Amino acid sequence: QVQLVESGGGLVQAGGSLRLSCAASGTIFSVYTMGWYRQVPGKSRELVAQIMSDGSTNYADHVAGRFTLSGDNAKHAIYLQMNNLKPEDTDDYYCNLAHKLPNGSWDEFWGHGTQVTVSS
């Protein structure tokens, strides 16, 4: 099993910054991804930013240039620096880890979520 512990959400004014952190523990296989998703009301969670075990990253279009995701492989931790926040960034953000099992299938885990509120 894998456990994910998130921190760093909060309330900030538009134009401000927040940093989300997520640390994973447990048995984690070498090929994995970690990322942050947001819960869009009435829809499934959508990707905000993702980092692969090889260090490559993906960003949603609406955060590219404002958010930066970094990772620490040794600690299985990721950090999302959120700059120039906008009211539309307000949402619950969830950390995700997916890893490739020895049998070739993938398993994934979610954190409990952290709330980000951006006031105008």
Side-chain angles (χ1 to χ4, degrees), residues 3-99:
Q3 293 78 41
L4 300 173
V5 177
E6 303 146 321
S7 61
L11 171 64
V12 66
Q13 288 188 330
S17 298
L18 285 173
R19 187 175 186 245
L20 304 184
S21 300
C22 176
S25 61
T27 301
I28 300 168
F29 293 100
S30 60
V31 177
Y32 67 91
T33 69
M34 289 187 72
W36 287 96
Y37 289 70
R38 57 185 292 179
Q39 182 71 63
V40 180
K43 298 184 180 180
S44 59
R45 292 174 183 171
E46 65 177 27
L47 178 70
V48 176
Q50 182 182 54
I51 189 166
M52 317 302 176
S53 47
D54 65 2
S56 59
T57 54
N58 291 320
Y59 295 92
D61 289 343
H62 67 279
V63 306
R66 298 189 296 124
F67 293 7
T68 302
L69 183 64
S70 59
D72 184 333
N73 272 356
K75 297 180 179 179
H76 293 112
I78 58 172
Y79 312 96
L80 183 65
Q81 180 65 41
M82 311 165 75
N83 295 331
N84 190 21
L85 282 159
K86 303 176 180 180
E88 51 265 40
D89 294 319
T90 295
D91 217 329
D92 291 325
Y93 286 73
Y94 294 86
C95 182
N96 172 274
L97 181 146
H99 65 176

Coordinates of all heavy atoms in Angstrom, one line a residue, residues 3-99:
Q3 N 0.8 5.4 0.9 CA 0.1 6.5 1.6 C 0.6 7.9 1.0 O 1.8 8.0 0.8 CB 0.3 6.5 3.1 CG -0.4 5.3 3.8 CD 0.4 4.0 3.6 OE1 1.6 4.0 3.7 NE2 -0.2 2.9 3.3
L4 N -0.3 8.8 0.8 CA 0.1 10.1 0.4 C -0.3 11.2 1.4 O -1.5 11.2 1.8 CB -0.6 10.4 -1.0 CG -0.3 9.5 -2.1 CD1 -1.1 9.8 -3.3 CD2 1.2 9.6 -2.5
V5 N 0.6 12.0 1.8 CA 0.3 13.1 2.7 C 0.5 14.4 2.0 O 1.6 14.7 1.5 CB 1.2 13.0 4.0 CG1 1.0 14.1 4.9 CG2 1.0 11.6 4.7
E6 N -0.5 15.2 2.0 CA -0.5 16.5 1.3 C -0.4 17.7 2.3 O -0.9 17.5 3.5 CB -1.7 16.7 0.5 CG -1.9 15.6 -0.5 CD -3.4 15.2 -0.7 OE1 -4.2 15.3 0.2 OE2 -3.8 15.0 -1.9
S7 N 0.1 18.8 1.9 CA 0.1 20.0 2.7 C 0.3 21.2 1.8 O 0.7 21.1 0.7 CB 1.2 19.9 3.8 OG 2.5 19.9 3.1
G8 N -0.1 22.4 2.4 CA 0.2 23.6 1.7 C -0.9 24.4 1.1 O -0.8 25.4 0.6
G9 N -2.1 23.9 1.2 CA -3.3 24.6 0.7 C -3.6 25.8 1.6 O -2.9 26.0 2.6
G10 N -4.5 26.6 1.2 CA -4.9 27.8 2.0 C -5.6 28.8 1.2 O -6.1 28.6 0.1
L11 N -5.7 30.0 1.8 CA -6.4 31.1 1.2 C -5.4 32.2 0.8 O -4.5 32.5 1.6 CB -7.4 31.7 2.2 CG -8.1 33.1 1.8 CD1 -9.0 32.9 0.6 CD2 -8.9 33.6 3.0
V12 N -5.5 32.7 -0.4 CA -4.6 33.7 -0.9 C -5.3 34.6 -1.8 O -6.3 34.3 -2.4 CB -3.4 33.0 -1.6 CG1 -3.8 32.3 -2.9 CG2 -2.2 34.0 -1.9
Q13 N -4.8 35.9 -1.9 CA -5.4 36.8 -2.8 C -4.9 36.6 -4.3 O -3.8 36.0 -4.5 CB -5.0 38.2 -2.4 CG -5.7 38.7 -1.2 CD -5.5 40.2 -0.9 OE1 -4.4 40.7 -1.2 NE2 -6.5 40.8 -0.3
A14 N -5.7 37.0 -5.2 CA -5.3 36.8 -6.6 C -4.0 37.5 -6.8 O -3.7 38.6 -6.3 CB -6.4 37.5 -7.5
G15 N -3.1 36.8 -7.6 CA -1.8 37.3 -7.8 C -0.8 36.7 -6.9 O 0.5 36.8 -7.1
G16 N -1.3 36.1 -5.8 CA -0.4 35.5 -4.8 C 0.1 34.1 -5.1 O -0.1 33.6 -6.3
S17 N 0.8 33.5 -4.2 CA 1.5 32.2 -4.4 C 1.1 31.3 -3.3 O 0.9 31.7 -2.1 CB 3.0 32.4 -4.5 OG 3.3 33.2 -5.6
L18 N 1.1 30.0 -3.6 CA 1.1 28.9 -2.7 C 2.0 27.8 -3.1 O 2.3 27.7 -4.3 CB -0.4 28.4 -2.5 CG -1.4 29.2 -1.8 CD1 -2.8 28.6 -1.9 CD2 -1.0 29.3 -0.3
R19 N 2.4 27.0 -2.2 CA 3.2 25.8 -2.5 C 2.6 24.6 -1.9 O 2.4 24.5 -0.7 CB 4.6 26.0 -2.0 CG 5.6 24.9 -2.4 CD 7.0 25.2 -1.9 NE 8.0 24.3 -2.4 CZ 8.7 23.5 -1.7 NH1 8.5 23.5 -0.4 NH2 9.7 22.7 -2.2
L20 N 2.2 23.6 -2.8 CA 1.6 22.4 -2.3 C 2.7 21.3 -2.3 O 3.6 21.2 -3.2 CB 0.5 21.9 -3.2 CG -0.6 22.9 -3.5 CD1 -1.7 22.2 -4.4 CD2 -1.2 23.4 -2.2
S21 N 2.7 20.5 -1.2 CA 3.6 19.4 -1.1 C 2.9 18.1 -0.9 O 1.8 18.0 -0.4 CB 4.5 19.6 0.2 OG 5.2 20.8 0.1
C22 N 3.5 17.0 -1.4 CA 2.9 15.7 -1.3 C 4.1 14.7 -1.1 O 5.0 14.7 -1.9 CB 2.1 15.3 -2.5 SG 1.5 13.6 -2.5
A23 N 4.0 13.9 -0.1 CA 5.0 12.9 0.2 C 4.4 11.5 0.2 O 3.3 11.3 0.8 CB 5.7 13.2 1.5
A24 N 5.0 10.6 -0.5 CA 4.5 9.2 -0.6 C 5.3 8.3 0.3 O 6.5 8.5 0.4 CB 4.5 8.8 -2.0
S25 N 4.7 7.3 0.9 CA 5.4 6.3 1.7 C 4.8 5.0 1.4 O 3.6 4.9 0.9 CB 5.3 6.6 3.2 OG 4.0 6.6 3.6
G26 N 5.5 3.9 1.7 CA 5.0 2.6 1.4 C 5.9 1.9 0.3 O 7.0 2.4 0.0
T27 N 5.4 0.9 -0.3 CA 6.2 0.2 -1.4 C 5.8 0.9 -2.7 O 4.7 0.8 -3.2 CB 5.8 -1.3 -1.4 OG1 6.1 -1.9 -0.1 CG2 6.5 -2.0 -2.5
I28 N 6.8 1.5 -3.3 CA 6.7 2.2 -4.5 C 7.6 1.7 -5.5 O 8.9 1.6 -5.3 CB 6.9 3.7 -4.3 CG1 5.9 4.3 -3.3 CG2 6.8 4.5 -5.6 CD1 6.3 5.7 -2.8
F29 N 7.1 1.2 -6.7 CA 8.0 0.6 -7.7 C 8.7 1.7 -8.5 O 8.3 2.9 -8.5 CB 7.2 -0.3 -8.5 CG 6.7 -1.5 -7.8 CD1 5.4 -1.6 -7.3 CD2 7.6 -2.6 -7.5 CE1 5.0 -2.7 -6.5 CE2 7.2 -3.7 -6.8 CZ 5.9 -3.8 -6.3
S30 N 9.7 1.3 -9.3 CA 10.6 2.3 -9.8 C 10.0 3.1 -11.0 O 10.5 4.2 -11.2 CB 11.9 1.6 -10.3 OG 11.6 0.6 -11.3
V31 N 9.0 2.6 -11.7 CA 8.4 3.3 -12.7 C 7.1 3.9 -12.2 O 6.2 3.1 -11.9 CB 8.1 2.5 -14.0 CG1 7.4 3.3 -15.1 CG2 9.4 1.9 -14.5
Y32 N 7.0 5.2 -12.1 CA 5.9 5.8 -11.4 C 5.7 7.2 -11.9 O 6.5 7.8 -12.5 CB 6.0 5.8 -9.9 CG 7.1 6.7 -9.4 CD1 6.8 8.0 -9.0 CD2 8.4 6.2 -9.2 CE1 7.8 8.8 -8.5 CE2 9.3 7.0 -8.7 CZ 9.0 8.3 -8.3 OH 10.0 9.1 -7.8
T33 N 4.5 7.7 -11.7 CA 4.2 9.1 -11.9 C 3.6 9.7 -10.6 O 2.9 9.0 -9.8 CB 3.2 9.4 -13.0 OG1 1.9 8.9 -12.6 CG2 3.6 8.7 -14.3
M34 N 3.8 11.0 -10.3 CA 3.2 11.7 -9.2 C 2.6 13.0 -9.8 O 3.3 13.6 -10.7 CB 4.1 11.9 -8.1 CG 4.5 10.7 -7.3 SD 5.5 11.1 -5.8 CE 4.2 11.8 -4.7
G35 N 1.5 13.4 -9.3 CA 1.0 14.6 -9.8 C -0.1 15.2 -8.9 O -0.5 14.6 -7.9
W36 N -0.6 16.4 -9.4 CA -1.7 17.0 -8.7 C -2.9 17.1 -9.7 O -2.7 17.5 -10.9 CB -1.3 18.4 -8.3 CG -0.4 18.4 -7.1 CD1 1.0 18.5 -7.1 CD2 -0.7 18.4 -5.7 NE1 1.5 18.4 -5.8 CE2 0.4 18.4 -5.0 CE3 -2.0 18.3 -5.1 CZ2 0.4 18.3 -3.6 CZ3 -2.0 18.2 -3.7 CH2 -0.8 18.2 -3.0
Y37 N -4.0 16.8 -9.2 CA -5.3 16.9 -9.9 C -6.2 17.9 -9.1 O -6.1 18.0 -7.9 CB -5.9 15.6 -10.0 CG -5.2 14.6 -11.0 CD1 -4.0 14.1 -10.6 CD2 -5.8 14.3 -12.2 CE1 -3.3 13.2 -11.5 CE2 -5.2 13.4 -13.1 CZ -3.9 12.9 -12.7 OH -3.3 12.0 -13.6
R38 N -7.2 18.4 -9.9 CA -8.2 19.2 -9.2 C -9.5 18.6 -9.5 O -9.8 18.0 -10.5 CB -8.1 20.7 -9.7 CG -8.3 20.9 -11.2 CD -8.1 22.3 -11.6 NE -9.2 23.2 -11.1 CZ -9.3 24.5 -11.3 NH1 -8.3 25.1 -11.9 NH2 -10.3 25.2 -10.8
Q39 N -10.4 18.8 -8.5 CA -11.8 18.3 -8.6 C -12.7 19.3 -9.2 O -13.0 20.3 -8.5 CB -12.3 17.9 -7.2 CG -13.6 17.2 -7.3 CD -13.6 15.8 -7.9 OE1 -12.9 14.9 -7.4 NE2 -14.3 15.7 -9.0
V40 N -13.1 19.1 -10.4 CA -14.0 20.1 -11.1 C -15.4 19.6 -10.7 O -15.8 18.5 -10.9 CB -13.8 20.0 -12.6 CG1 -14.8 21.0 -13.3 CG2 -12.4 20.4 -13.0
P41 N -16.2 20.5 -10.2 CA -17.6 20.1 -9.8 C -18.4 19.5 -10.9 O -18.4 20.0 -12.0 CB -18.2 21.4 -9.3 CG -17.1 22.3 -8.9 CD -15.9 21.9 -9.8
G42 N -18.9 18.3 -10.6 CA -19.7 17.6 -11.6 C -18.9 16.9 -12.7 O -19.5 16.2 -13.6
K43 N -17.6 16.9 -12.5 CA -16.8 16.2 -13.5 C -15.7 15.4 -12.8 O -15.5 15.5 -11.6 CB -16.1 17.2 -14.4 CG -17.0 18.0 -15.3 CD -16.2 18.9 -16.2 CE -17.1 19.8 -17.1 NZ -16.4 20.7 -18.0
S44 N -15.0 14.5 -13.5 CA -13.9 13.8 -12.9 C -12.7 14.7 -12.7 O -12.7 15.8 -13.2 CB -13.5 12.6 -13.8 OG -13.1 13.1 -15.1
R45 N -11.8 14.2 -11.9 CA -10.6 15.0 -11.6 C -9.8 15.2 -12.8 O -9.7 14.3 -13.6 CB -9.8 14.3 -10.5 CG -10.5 14.2 -9.2 CD -9.8 13.4 -8.1 NE -10.5 13.3 -6.9 CZ -10.2 12.6 -5.9 NH1 -9.1 11.8 -5.9 NH2 -10.9 12.6 -4.8
E46 N -9.3 16.4 -12.9 CA -8.5 16.8 -14.1 C -7.1 17.1 -13.7 O -6.8 17.6 -12.6 CB -9.1 17.9 -14.9 CG -9.1 19.3 -14.1 CD -9.6 20.4 -15.0 OE1 -10.4 20.2 -15.9 OE2 -9.2 21.5 -14.7
L47 N -6.1 16.7 -14.6 CA -4.7 16.9 -14.3 C -4.4 18.4 -14.2 O -4.8 19.2 -15.1 CB -3.9 16.2 -15.4 CG -2.4 16.3 -15.3 CD1 -1.9 15.5 -14.1 CD2 -1.7 15.9 -16.6
V48 N -3.6 18.7 -13.2 CA -3.0 20.0 -13.1 C -1.5 20.0 -13.6 O -1.1 20.7 -14.4 CB -3.1 20.6 -11.7 CG1 -2.4 21.9 -11.6 CG2 -4.5 20.7 -11.3
A49 N -0.8 19.1 -13.0 CA 0.7 18.9 -13.3 C 1.1 17.5 -12.9 O 0.6 17.0 -11.9 CB 1.5 19.9 -12.6
Q50 N 2.0 16.9 -13.6 CA 2.5 15.6 -13.4 C 3.9 15.5 -13.6 O 4.5 16.1 -14.6 CB 1.7 14.6 -14.3 CG 2.0 13.2 -14.2 CD 1.2 12.4 -15.2 OE1 1.2 12.7 -16.4 NE2 0.4 11.5 -14.8
I51 N 4.6 14.6 -12.8 CA 6.0 14.4 -13.0 C 6.2 12.9 -13.1 O 5.6 12.1 -12.3 CB 6.9 15.0 -11.9 CG1 8.4 15.0 -12.3 CG2 6.6 14.4 -10.5 CD1 9.3 15.9 -11.4
M52 N 7.1 12.5 -14.0 CA 7.4 11.0 -14.2 C 8.6 10.7 -13.4 O 9.4 11.6 -13.0 CB 7.6 10.7 -15.7 CG 6.7 11.4 -16.6 SD 4.9 11.0 -16.3 CE 4.1 12.0 -17.5
S53 N 8.9 9.4 -13.2 CA 10.0 9.0 -12.5 C 11.3 9.3 -13.2 O 12.4 9.3 -12.6 CB 10.0 7.5 -12.2 OG 9.6 6.7 -13.3
D54 N 11.2 9.6 -14.5 CA 12.4 10.0 -15.3 C 12.6 11.5 -15.2 O 13.6 12.1 -15.8 CB 12.4 9.6 -16.7 CG 11.2 10.2 -17.5 OD1 10.5 11.1 -16.9 OD2 11.1 9.9 -18.7
G55 N 11.8 12.2 -14.5 CA 11.9 13.7 -14.3 C 11.1 14.5 -15.3 O 11.0 15.8 -15.1
S56 N 10.6 14.0 -16.3 CA 9.8 14.7 -17.2 C 8.5 15.2 -16.6 O 7.9 14.5 -15.7 CB 9.5 14.0 -18.5 OG 8.8 12.8 -18.3
T57 N 7.9 16.3 -17.1 CA 6.7 16.9 -16.5 C 5.7 17.2 -17.6 O 6.0 17.4 -18.7 CB 7.0 18.2 -15.7 OG1 7.7 19.1 -16.6 CG2 7.9 17.9 -14.5
N58 N 4.4 17.2 -17.1 CA 3.3 17.7 -18.0 C 2.5 18.7 -17.2 O 2.3 18.5 -15.9 CB 2.4 16.5 -18.3 CG 3.0 15.5 -19.2 OD1 3.7 15.8 -20.1 ND2 2.8 14.2 -19.0
Y59 N 2.0 19.7 -17.9 CA 1.1 20.7 -17.2 C -0.2 20.9 -18.0 O -0.2 20.8 -19.2 CB 1.9 22.0 -17.2 CG 3.1 22.0 -16.3 CD1 4.3 21.8 -16.8 CD2 3.0 22.3 -14.9 CE1 5.5 21.8 -16.0 CE2 4.1 22.4 -14.1 CZ 5.3 22.1 -14.7 OH 6.4 22.1 -13.9
A60 N -1.2 21.2 -17.3 CA -2.4 21.6 -18.0 C -2.2 23.0 -18.6 O -1.4 23.8 -18.1 CB -3.6 21.7 -16.9
D61 N -2.8 23.2 -19.7 CA -2.6 24.5 -20.4 C -2.8 25.7 -19.6 O -2.1 26.7 -19.7 CB -3.5 24.5 -21.7 CG -3.1 23.5 -22.8 OD1 -1.9 23.0 -22.7 OD2 -3.9 23.3 -23.7
H62 N -3.9 25.6 -18.7 CA -4.2 26.8 -18.0 C -3.3 27.1 -16.8 O -3.4 28.2 -16.2 CB -5.7 26.7 -17.5 CG -5.9 25.7 -16.4 ND1 -6.0 24.3 -16.7 CD2 -5.9 25.7 -15.1 CE1 -6.2 23.6 -15.6 NE2 -6.1 24.5 -14.6
V63 N -2.3 26.3 -16.5 CA -1.4 26.6 -15.5 C 0.1 26.7 -16.0 O 0.9 27.2 -15.3 CB -1.4 25.5 -14.3 CG1 -2.8 25.3 -13.8 CG2 -0.8 24.2 -14.8
A64 N 0.3 26.4 -17.2 CA 1.6 26.4 -17.8 C 2.1 27.9 -17.7 O 1.4 28.8 -18.0 CB 1.6 26.0 -19.3
G65 N 3.4 28.0 -17.2 CA 3.9 29.3 -17.1 C 3.7 29.9 -15.7 O 4.3 30.9 -15.3
R66 N 2.7 29.4 -15.0 CA 2.4 29.9 -13.6 C 2.7 28.9 -12.5 O 3.2 29.3 -11.4 CB 0.9 30.3 -13.5 CG 0.4 31.4 -14.5 CD -1.0 31.8 -14.2 NE -2.0 30.7 -14.3 CZ -2.8 30.3 -13.4 NH1 -2.8 30.9 -12.2 NH2 -3.7 29.3 -13.6
F67 N 2.6 27.7 -12.8 CA 2.8 26.6 -11.8 C 4.1 25.8 -12.2 O 4.3 25.6 -13.4 CB 1.7 25.6 -11.8 CG 0.4 26.2 -11.2 CD1 0.2 27.5 -10.9 CD2 -0.7 25.3 -11.0 CE1 -1.0 28.0 -10.4 CE2 -1.9 25.8 -10.5 CZ -2.0 27.1 -10.2
T68 N 4.9 25.4 -11.2 CA 6.0 24.6 -11.5 C 6.0 23.4 -10.6 O 5.9 23.6 -9.3 CB 7.3 25.5 -11.3 OG1 7.3 26.6 -12.1 CG2 8.6 24.6 -11.6
L69 N 6.2 22.3 -11.1 CA 6.2 21.0 -10.4 C 7.6 20.5 -10.3 O 8.3 20.4 -11.3 CB 5.3 20.0 -11.0 CG 5.1 18.7 -10.3 CD1 4.4 18.9 -8.9 CD2 4.3 17.7 -11.1
S70 N 8.1 20.2 -9.1 CA 9.4 19.6 -8.9 C 9.2 18.4 -8.0 O 8.2 18.2 -7.4 CB 10.3 20.6 -8.3 OG 9.9 21.0 -7.0
G71 N 10.2 17.5 -8.1 CA 10.1 16.3 -7.3 C 11.4 15.9 -6.7 O 12.5 16.3 -7.1
D72 N 11.3 15.1 -5.7 CA 12.5 14.5 -5.0 C 12.3 13.0 -5.1 O 11.5 12.4 -4.3 CB 12.6 15.0 -3.6 CG 13.8 14.5 -2.8 OD1 14.3 13.4 -3.2 OD2 14.2 15.2 -1.9
N73 N 13.0 12.3 -6.0 CA 12.9 10.9 -6.2 C 13.2 10.1 -4.9 O 12.5 9.1 -4.6 CB 13.7 10.4 -7.3 CG 13.0 10.5 -8.6 OD1 11.8 10.8 -8.7 ND2 13.7 10.2 -9.7
A74 N 14.2 10.5 -4.2 CA 14.7 9.8 -3.0 C 13.6 9.8 -1.9 O 13.4 8.8 -1.2 CB 16.0 10.4 -2.5
K75 N 12.9 10.9 -1.8 CA 11.8 11.0 -0.8 C 10.4 10.7 -1.4 O 9.5 10.7 -0.6 CB 11.8 12.4 -0.3 CG 13.1 12.8 0.5 CD 13.0 14.2 1.0 CE 14.2 14.6 1.8 NZ 14.2 16.0 2.3
H76 N 10.3 10.4 -2.7 CA 9.0 10.2 -3.3 C 8.1 11.4 -2.9 O 7.0 11.2 -2.4 CB 8.4 8.9 -2.9 CG 9.2 7.7 -3.5 ND1 9.9 6.8 -2.7 CD2 9.3 7.3 -4.7 CE1 10.4 5.9 -3.4 NE2 10.1 6.2 -4.7
A77 N 8.6 12.6 -3.1 CA 7.9 13.8 -2.8 C 7.8 14.7 -4.0 O 8.7 14.7 -4.8 CB 8.5 14.5 -1.6
I78 N 6.7 15.4 -4.1 CA 6.6 16.4 -5.1 C 6.1 17.8 -4.5 O 5.5 17.8 -3.5 CB 5.6 16.0 -6.2 CG1 4.2 15.7 -5.7 CG2 6.1 14.8 -7.0 CD1 3.1 15.5 -6.7
Y79 N 6.5 18.8 -5.3 CA 6.2 20.2 -4.8 C 5.6 21.0 -5.9 O 6.2 21.1 -7.0 CB 7.5 20.8 -4.2 CG 8.2 19.9 -3.3 CD1 9.3 19.1 -3.7 CD2 7.8 19.8 -2.0 CE1 9.9 18.3 -2.9 CE2 8.5 19.0 -1.1 CZ 9.5 18.2 -1.6 OH 10.2 17.4 -0.7
L80 N 4.5 21.6 -5.7 CA 3.8 22.4 -6.8 C 3.9 23.8 -6.3 O 3.2 24.3 -5.4 CB 2.4 21.9 -7.0 CG 1.7 22.7 -8.1 CD1 2.3 22.3 -9.5 CD2 0.2 22.3 -8.2
Q81 N 4.7 24.6 -7.0 CA 4.8 26.0 -6.8 C 3.8 26.7 -7.6 O 3.8 26.6 -8.9 CB 6.2 26.6 -7.1 CG 6.4 28.1 -6.8 CD 6.2 28.4 -5.4 OE1 6.7 27.7 -4.5 NE2 5.5 29.5 -5.1
M82 N 2.8 27.4 -7.0 CA 1.7 28.0 -7.7 C 1.8 29.5 -7.6 O 1.7 30.1 -6.5 CB 0.4 27.6 -7.1 CG 0.3 26.0 -6.9 SD -1.1 25.5 -5.8 CE -2.5 25.8 -6.9
N83 N 2.2 30.1 -8.7 CA 2.4 31.6 -8.7 C 1.3 32.3 -9.5 O 0.6 31.6 -10.4 CB 3.7 31.9 -9.3 CG 4.9 31.4 -8.5 OD1 4.8 31.3 -7.3 ND2 6.0 31.2 -9.1
N84 N 1.1 33.6 -9.3 CA 0.1 34.3 -10.0 C -1.2 33.6 -10.0 O -1.9 33.5 -11.1 CB 0.6 34.6 -11.5 CG -0.3 35.6 -12.2 OD1 -1.0 36.4 -11.6 ND2 -0.3 35.5 -13.5
L85 N -1.7 33.3 -8.8 CA -2.9 32.5 -8.7 C -4.1 33.4 -9.1 O -4.1 34.6 -8.9 CB -3.1 32.0 -7.3 CG -2.2 30.8 -7.0 CD1 -2.0 30.6 -5.5 CD2 -2.9 29.5 -7.5
K86 N -5.1 32.7 -9.6 CA -6.3 33.4 -10.1 C -7.5 32.8 -9.4 O -7.5 31.6 -8.9 CB -6.5 33.2 -11.6 CG -5.3 33.6 -12.5 CD -5.5 33.3 -13.9 CE -4.3 33.8 -14.8 NZ -4.5 33.5 -16.2
P87 N -8.6 33.5 -9.3 CA -9.8 33.0 -8.6 C -10.3 31.7 -9.2 O -10.7 30.8 -8.5 CB -10.8 34.1 -8.8 CG -10.0 35.4 -8.9 CD -8.8 35.0 -9.6
E88 N -10.1 31.5 -10.5 CA -10.5 30.3 -11.1 C -9.6 29.1 -10.8 O -9.9 27.9 -11.1 CB -10.6 30.4 -12.7 CG -9.3 31.0 -13.3 CD -9.4 32.5 -13.5 OE1 -10.0 33.2 -12.6 OE2 -9.0 33.0 -14.6
D89 N -8.5 29.3 -10.1 CA -7.7 28.2 -9.6 C -8.3 27.6 -8.3 O -7.8 26.6 -7.8 CB -6.3 28.7 -9.3 CG -5.5 29.1 -10.5 OD1 -5.6 28.4 -11.5 OD2 -4.8 30.1 -10.5
T90 N -9.3 28.3 -7.7 CA -9.9 27.8 -6.5 C -10.5 26.4 -6.7 O -11.3 26.2 -7.7 CB -11.0 28.8 -6.0 OG1 -10.4 30.0 -5.7 CG2 -11.8 28.2 -4.9
D91 N -10.1 25.5 -5.8 CA -10.6 24.1 -6.0 C -9.9 23.3 -4.9 O -9.1 23.7 -4.1 CB -10.2 23.5 -7.3 CG -11.3 22.6 -7.9 OD1 -12.0 22.0 -7.1 OD2 -11.4 22.6 -9.1
D92 N -10.4 22.0 -4.8 CA -9.7 21.0 -4.0 C -8.7 20.3 -4.9 O -9.0 19.9 -6.0 CB -10.7 20.0 -3.4 CG -11.6 20.6 -2.4 OD1 -11.2 21.5 -1.6 OD2 -12.8 20.1 -2.4
Y93 N -7.4 20.2 -4.4 CA -6.4 19.6 -5.1 C -6.0 18.3 -4.5 O -5.8 18.2 -3.3 CB -5.2 20.6 -5.2 CG -5.4 21.8 -6.1 CD1 -6.3 22.8 -5.8 CD2 -4.7 21.8 -7.3 CE1 -6.5 23.9 -6.6 CE2 -5.0 22.9 -8.2 CZ -5.8 23.9 -7.8 OH -6.1 25.0 -8.7
Y94 N -5.8 17.3 -5.3 CA -5.5 16.0 -4.9 C -4.2 15.5 -5.4 O -3.9 15.6 -6.6 CB -6.6 15.0 -5.3 CG -7.9 15.3 -4.7 CD1 -8.8 16.2 -5.2 CD2 -8.3 14.7 -3.5 CE1 -10.0 16.5 -4.6 CE2 -9.5 14.9 -2.9 CZ -10.4 15.9 -3.5 OH -11.6 16.1 -2.9
C95 N -3.4 14.9 -4.6 CA -2.1 14.3 -5.0 C -2.4 12.9 -5.5 O -3.2 12.2 -4.9 CB -1.1 14.3 -3.8 SG 0.5 13.6 -4.2
N96 N -1.7 12.5 -6.5 CA -1.9 11.2 -7.1 C -0.5 10.5 -7.3 O 0.4 11.2 -7.7 CB -2.6 11.3 -8.4 CG -2.7 10.0 -9.2 OD1 -1.7 9.7 -9.9 ND2 -3.7 9.2 -9.0
L97 N -0.5 9.2 -7.1 CA 0.7 8.4 -7.4 C 0.2 7.2 -8.2 O -0.7 6.5 -7.7 CB 1.5 8.0 -6.2 CG 2.8 7.2 -6.5 CD1 3.9 7.5 -5.5 CD2 2.6 5.7 -6.5
A98 N 0.8 6.9 -9.3 CA 0.5 5.7 -10.1 C 1.9 5.0 -10.3 O 2.8 5.7 -10.7 CB -0.2 6.1 -11.4
H99 N 1.9 3.7 -10.1 CA 3.2 3.0 -10.4 C 2.9 1.7 -11.1 O 1.8 1.1 -11.0 CB 4.0 2.8 -9.1 CG 3.4 2.0 -8.0 ND1 4.0 1.6 -6.9 CD2 2.2 1.4 -7.9 CE1 3.3 0.9 -6.1 NE2 2.1 0.7 -6.7

